[in-house]
Amino acid sequence: LNAEIICVGTELLLGQIVDTNSTKLSQYLASLGVNVFHKSTVGDNLQRIVESLRLAASRADLVIACGGLGPTQDDLTKEAISAAFDVPMVEDPESVEHIRSFFQRRRIPIAASNLKQALLFEGGNALRNDFGTAPGAVLEIDGRTIACLPGPPRELIPMVENQLLPYLRERHGLKRVLRSRVLRLAGMGESAAEERVKDLLGGSNPTVAPLLSGFEVTFRITGTGEDEGAVEAGILEAEKRLRQRLGKEIYGADDDTLESVVLGHLRDRGLSLVTAESCTGGLIAHRLTNVAGSSDTFLSSVVCYANAAKESLLGVRRVTLEGFGAVSWETAREMAEGAMRELGGDAAIAVTGIAGPGGGSDEKPVGLVYIATALPSALKVQEYHFAGTRLDVKQRTAQAALEQMRRAILHL
Amino acid sequence: LNAEIICVGTELLLGQIVDTNSTKLSQYLASLGVNVFHKSTVGDNLQRIVESLRLAASRADLVIACGGLGPTQDDLTKEAISAAFDVPMVEDPESVEHIRSFFQRRRIPIAASNLKQALLFEGGNALRNDFGTAPGAVLEIDGRTIACLPGPPRELIPMVENQLLPYLRERHGLKRVLRSRVLRLAGMGESAAEERVKDLLGGSNPTVAPLLSGFEVTFRITGTGEDEGAVEAGILEAEKRLRQRLGKEIYGADDDTLESVVLGHLRDRGLSLVTAESCTGGLIAHRLTNVAGSSDTFLSSVVCYANAAKESLLGVRRVTLEGFGAVSWETAREMAEGAMRELGGDAAIAVTGIAGPGGGSDEKPVGLVYIATALPSALKVQEYHFAGTRLDVKQRTAQAALEQMRRAILHL
């Protein structure tokens, strides 16, 4: 079964709102094993909506239009479906009742235009709207299924979950399940990671696809079929093969974050963590404390932007700051050692660098960063060069620092 | 001039990521007075990308394709443009150089597949990528402009702003201007703010529209026309009327952030800032240090999750922690005073609270937060109750803390 999604609304073409409806619908359709080959967005213009509907129906078995069911003159989706497929519209008594009672409950007088929303397709089915006045509709015509849904996500999503999906499952005998698993890497570039597993990519069921997501590389394994056990076994087998190649480069799966994994490794070993942050300015601590329950492992952090703070709070020696500079291998090391000593942690992450846009020099350009990771018996300091905006440099540094700590714990 | 946007990527059709590129592009095109009548999304399939490009070129003067410029086998947008419009691809020496030096700077070995990204269209122009390896391209063919852009927003947006828009303006003689100004409020709810300026909303040119954006209320004034001076005068007049009503509730305009404004007020008064963070875990320091040049005013921060850290780093008294608890009016005050004393700042922000999901009790529920702001001659501690997830509570707390400091400085 192939589907096409059409989003209707001039506000989408003007960039006034971000479309999340089609994203959500795509997820639902994928989970049923329905392919989506095209999505399109069209404004509140009858002729263009009609053309988009006809094009979609020429290449898909299922066409889902979102938006344009409101009471105003701009809302034209149902009129367009009626015109595109030559289906008359008739008043749906249940929808009239629903709209009337909706306004009565809110003690708002009903406008004539609101009853326009009760017009549905002859021979079609209404989709009840539990969170608004506009019913959706579904229609079978010329071997195709055409559905229209209200634009507001809080109306659309429950309508899809509770009515459209069960209808599609029943009507088209859809028994397929779709399962996926995401493996996450933080220490390798996309090309390098792909190079290592090139022959395992693609595939048809399960599929394995790489994706750069934020500052991470992920591999998504997706399987589909009617036998849930077989689908899951296939995914597990693909995961095993990827893990054989990538080993400990994979830091986690699915909803794992690098920070939650690092905290987990430290917790397993009974080690507490402290951080000393210069150029990241608190971002590493912020990420660590986003993890629920982090307080049992993460103790404290010092954000020491000023040199004086590096001396007074972390005991970095003035001779080090003056001799090598605040952004140096030596300062990073003393920050990590000072953080363990002064803040009382078993493990420490320390970063110092130049986030920019100012503050760089030929010798020490913007993006130069030193990261120190300290464990009870291992200290490592590494130099990095990051590109991008100030925020990019902060984010790349935080990511690299957490990954360096993960590797230090696992002796990678 | 009519434009059409094509987003390329199977991940979009599977609902794995939300498309914000086309939203942003739509805004830019609207600002030039370019109409967008259609957007479409297509997967990583050569034939379907070719068909989408041809359809777009049949109904628009300008076709912009986003995504599919990566180094992998799935990245097919340039191949599709080459096939759809019968244009050969040639290696662009500058792009080769850019890609090589990108990898050299990062000390990463270059893969052969990365050089595929330097292939561009014969007779076309490269769009330099300042934040990644994939150059974009723009091509004039049969009276149409075809552009392709990289998928990652942090690469696409600067490329559009700095290169594509100037190119389109020049090439198509676009003279219409659209200007807008955003006024920002952090201390009032949306309904309350709207109530205060109800009669000033709407309008046709300029328009005034309220919007809840993150945890802030904004009013966007938008004017359009060919006479730039008249457009700007209209916006200025609308801004004046809004400011008369909202006064110092407006913390800033356009790209101002609450953190940049707070730092600016302190800098103007010659005051340095330190922070002491418990439940925000470094987020306030992270926001402050996102501001370029913050190091002249923001000195340092202590993230003290553990009680021991509150004692040892900030000198909060044990009797206070034991008598009133770590989340209390008294602890917040001692954290602020301790931060000024121990970290040597003229002003301090201190927060302590329960971000959840665990750690709450009947007496001190999740979302209870105390914020202390200290200035040389003024200390204020305030109790707040925030709802939402752990991250929501952290973000609302950071926002409220910065706003409390802004009000303290302005004696609001």
Side-chain angles (χ1 to χ4, degrees):
Chain A
L1 198 70
N2 297 336
E4 180 153 346
I5 300 169
I6 301 176
C7 298
V8 180
T10 300
E11 68 278 16
L12 292 162
L13 295 178
L14 289 171
Q16 290 167 351
I17 57 171
V18 171
D19 159 48
T20 56
N21 284 338
S22 75
T23 310
K24 202 76 197 168
L25 267 171
S26 297
Q27 293 168 5
Y28 290 125
L29 292 169
S31 77
L32 287 182
V34 174
N35 299 311
V36 178
F37 288 137
H38 295 92
K39 286 188 206 179
S40 62
T41 305
V42 62
D44 301 315
N45 173 289
L46 188 63
Q47 190 48 40
R48 283 196 284 272
I49 306 172
V50 168
E51 282 162 15
S52 294
L53 285 163
R54 286 192 180 138
L55 175 64
S58 76
R59 56 192 186 187
D61 311 299
L62 164 63
V63 178
I64 302 178
C66 313
L69 302 189
T72 78
Q73 291 171 23
D74 279 353
D75 293 301
L76 296 165
T77 302
K78 287 186 302 185
E79 288 78 352
I81 291 175
S82 171
F85 306 112
D86 203 14
V87 195
M89 298 207 325
V90 292
E91 198 172 74
D92 176 53
E94 268 183 51
S95 297
V96 171
E97 190 43 47
H98 176 71
I99 294 168
R100 281 198 194 286
S101 77
F102 186 94
F103 279 87
Q104 261 160 20
R105 275 201 311 277
R106 279 163 190 72
R107 301 196 168 34
I108 305 171
I110 190 165
S113 57
N114 290 113
L115 287 174
K116 181 187 111 172
Q117 298 186 302
L119 288 175
L120 294 176
F121 309 112
E122 197 174 276
N125 295 310
L127 301 172
R128 201 185 55 255
N129 188 337
D130 293 327
F131 299 92
T133 53
V138 63
L139 175 71
E140 297 295 332
I141 193 150
D142 299 336
R144 275 166 180 69
T145 303
I146 314 290
C148 60
L149 300 168
R154 69 173 181 285
E155 302 178 20
L156 176 137
I157 289 169
M159 190 180 286
V160 172
E161 288 183 350
N162 303 329
Q163 297 174 78
L164 182 62
L165 296 185
Y167 174 90
L168 294 174
R169 238 187 269 269
E170 170 78 23
R171 170 85 198 174
H172 296 283
L174 300 172
K175 291 198 189 69
R176 270 169 84 180
V177 297
L178 180 135
R179 293 282 178 276
S180 65
R181 184 146 176 89
V182 176
L183 300 181
R184 301 180 171 278
L185 288 77
M188 277 184 115
E190 193 183 10
S191 316
E194 228 186 293
E195 199 71 32
R196 184 106 59 106
V197 296
K198 212 159 47 179
D199 55 309
L200 305 179
L201 298 182
S204 62
N205 191 18
T207 59
V208 179
L211 187 71
L212 193 66
S213 150
F215 299 105
E216 302 188 353
V217 173
T218 62
F219 289 97
R220 179 181 288 265
I221 310 166
T222 306
T224 177
E226 298 203 355
D227 177 348
E228 194 170 341
V231 169
E232 283 175 359
I235 290 175
L236 215 63
E237 180 57 32
E239 177 176 351
K240 215 174 90 187
R241 283 196 300 268
L242 284 166
R243 285 188 182 275
Q244 275 163 2
R245 295 286 178 80
L246 295 164
K248 290 179 182 170
E249 292 289 343
I250 296 171
Y251 79 74
D254 296 338
D255 294 333
D256 284 340
T257 60
L258 191 52
E259 49 272 29
S260 70
V261 167
V262 166
L263 286 171
H265 285 323
L266 290 168
R267 188 180 294 120
D268 291 347
R269 289 158 179 78
L271 300 174
S272 62
L273 176 66
V274 296
T275 65
E277 306 187 41
S278 182
C279 67
T280 44
L283 175 57
I284 299 173
H286 171 47
R287 285 182 60 174
L288 290 165
T289 59
N290 281 346
V291 180
S294 50
S295 57
D296 64 2
T297 301
F298 175 67
L299 301 182
S300 55
S301 174
V302 163
V303 178
C304 43
Y305 240 45
N307 275 357
K310 293 187 182 75
E311 285 185 56
S312 64
L313 297 173
L314 297 172
V316 175
R317 291 173 306 161
R318 183 164 304 177
V319 59
T320 305
L321 290 167
E322 285 174 356
F324 299 99
V327 178
S328 65
W329 198 97
E330 291 76 9
T331 296
R333 189 185 72 177
E334 291 192 21
M335 285 171 67
E337 289 169 344
M340 288 174 93
R341 188 177 59 239
E342 304 293 329
L343 310 182
D346 305 312
I349 297 174
V351 301
T352 181
I354 302 160
S361 65
D362 280 354
E363 203 194 337
K364 297 193 174 178
V366 168
L368 172 67
V369 172
Y370 293 89
I371 298 175
T373 45
L375 286 164
S377 57
L379 174 81
K380 181 171 187 182
V381 186
Q382 213 171 314
E383 180 181 315
Y384 296 83
H385 294 262
F386 297 119
T389 63
R390 181 177 178 86
L391 186 58
D392 285 340
V393 173
K394 288 180 72 175
Q395 289 178 332
R396 288 181 197 276
T397 303
Q399 182 77 357
L402 290 166
E403 175 67 5
Q404 185 177 315
M405 176 52 91
R406 187 183 74 89
R407 288 173 178 262
I409 300 168
L410 301 181
H411 308 294
L412 285 179
Chain B
L1 197 70
N2 297 334
E4 180 154 345
I5 300 168
I6 302 177
C7 298
V8 180
T10 300
E11 65 277 17
L12 292 163
L13 294 178
L14 289 171
Q16 291 166 353
I17 58 171
V18 171
D19 158 48
T20 55
N21 284 339
S22 76
T23 309
K24 201 76 198 170
L25 267 171
S26 297
Q27 293 166 5
Y28 290 124
L29 293 168
S31 79
L32 288 181
V34 175
N35 300 310
V36 177
F37 289 137
H38 295 92
K39 286 187 205 179
S40 62
T41 306
V42 61
D44 300 316
N45 173 289
L46 187 65
Q47 190 49 38
R48 284 194 285 271
I49 306 172
V50 168
E51 283 163 14
S52 296
L53 285 163
R54 288 193 178 137
L55 175 65
S58 76
R59 56 191 185 187
D61 312 300
L62 164 62
V63 177
I64 303 178
C66 314
L69 302 188
T72 77
Q73 293 169 21
D74 279 352
D75 293 302
L76 296 165
T77 302
K78 287 186 301 186
E79 288 79 351
I81 291 175
S82 171
F85 306 112
D86 204 13
V87 194
M89 295 202 331
V90 291
E91 197 172 75
D92 177 52
E94 269 183 51
S95 298
V96 171
E97 190 43 48
H98 176 72
I99 293 168
R100 283 197 193 284
S101 77
F102 187 94
F103 279 87
Q104 260 161 20
R105 274 202 310 279
R106 280 165 191 71
R107 314 224 182 337
I108 305 170
I110 191 164
S113 56
N114 290 112
L115 287 175
K116 181 187 110 172
Q117 298 186 303
L119 288 174
L120 294 175
F121 309 112
E122 196 174 278
N125 295 313
L127 301 173
R128 202 184 54 253
N129 188 337
D130 292 326
F131 300 93
T133 53
V138 63
L139 176 71
E140 298 294 332
I141 193 149
D142 300 335
R144 275 165 181 70
T145 304
I146 314 289
C148 60
L149 301 169
R154 68 173 180 280
E155 302 178 19
L156 176 138
I157 290 169
M159 190 181 286
V160 173
E161 288 182 349
N162 303 330
Q163 297 175 78
L164 182 61
L165 296 184
Y167 174 90
L168 293 175
R169 233 181 249 153
E170 171 78 22
R171 170 88 198 172
H172 297 282
L174 300 172
K175 289 197 189 68
R176 199 173 135 200
V177 297
L178 180 138
R179 292 283 177 274
S180 63
R181 183 143 177 91
V182 176
L183 301 180
R184 302 181 171 279
L185 288 76
M188 274 184 118
E190 194 181 12
S191 319
E194 234 184 287
E195 197 66 34
R196 190 113 46 113
V197 297
K198 212 159 47 179
D199 55 307
L200 304 179
L201 299 182
S204 62
N205 191 16
T207 58
V208 178
L211 188 71
L212 193 67
S213 150
F215 300 105
E216 302 187 355
V217 173
T218 61
F219 289 97
R220 178 182 289 266
I221 311 166
T222 307
T224 178
E226 294 207 353
D227 178 347
E228 193 169 344
V231 170
E232 283 176 358
I235 290 174
L236 215 61
E237 181 57 32
E239 176 175 352
K240 216 175 89 187
R241 283 196 300 270
L242 285 166
R243 284 190 182 274
Q244 276 162 1
R245 297 283 179 82
L246 293 166
K248 289 180 180 167
E249 290 290 342
I250 296 171
Y251 80 74
D254 296 338
D255 294 334
D256 284 340
T257 59
L258 191 52
E259 48 271 31
S260 70
V261 167
V262 165
L263 286 171
H265 286 322
L266 290 168
R267 187 180 294 121
D268 291 348
R269 288 159 180 77
L271 301 174
S272 63
L273 176 66
V274 296
T275 64
E277 307 187 42
S278 182
C279 66
T280 44
L283 174 57
I284 298 173
H286 171 47
R287 285 183 58 174
L288 289 166
T289 58
N290 281 347
V291 180
S294 49
S295 57
D296 63 3
T297 300
F298 175 68
L299 302 182
S300 55
S301 173
V302 163
V303 178
C304 43
Y305 241 45
N307 275 357
K310 293 186 182 74
E311 285 184 54
S312 65
L313 297 172
L314 297 171
V316 175
R317 292 172 306 161
R318 183 164 303 177
V319 60
T320 305
L321 290 167
E322 285 174 356
F324 298 100
V327 178
S328 64
W329 198 97
E330 291 77 7
T331 297
R333 189 184 72 177
E334 290 191 23
M335 285 170 68
E337 289 169 345
M340 288 174 93
R341 187 179 59 240
E342 303 293 329
L343 310 181
D346 305 313
I349 297 173
V351 301
T352 180
I354 302 159
S361 65
D362 281 354
E363 205 195 337
K364 298 194 173 176
V366 168
L368 172 68
V369 172
Y370 292 90
I371 299 175
T373 45
L375 286 164
S377 58
L379 175 81
K380 182 171 185 181
V381 186
Q382 213 171 313
E383 180 181 315
Y384 296 82
H385 293 263
F386 296 119
T389 62
R390 182 179 178 87
L391 186 59
D392 286 339
V393 172
K394 287 180 73 174
Q395 288 178 331
R396 287 180 197 278
T397 303
Q399 182 77 358
L402 291 165
E403 175 68 5
Q404 185 176 315
M405 177 52 92
R406 186 183 76 90
R407 288 174 177 263
I409 301 167
L410 301 180
H411 308 293
L412 285 179

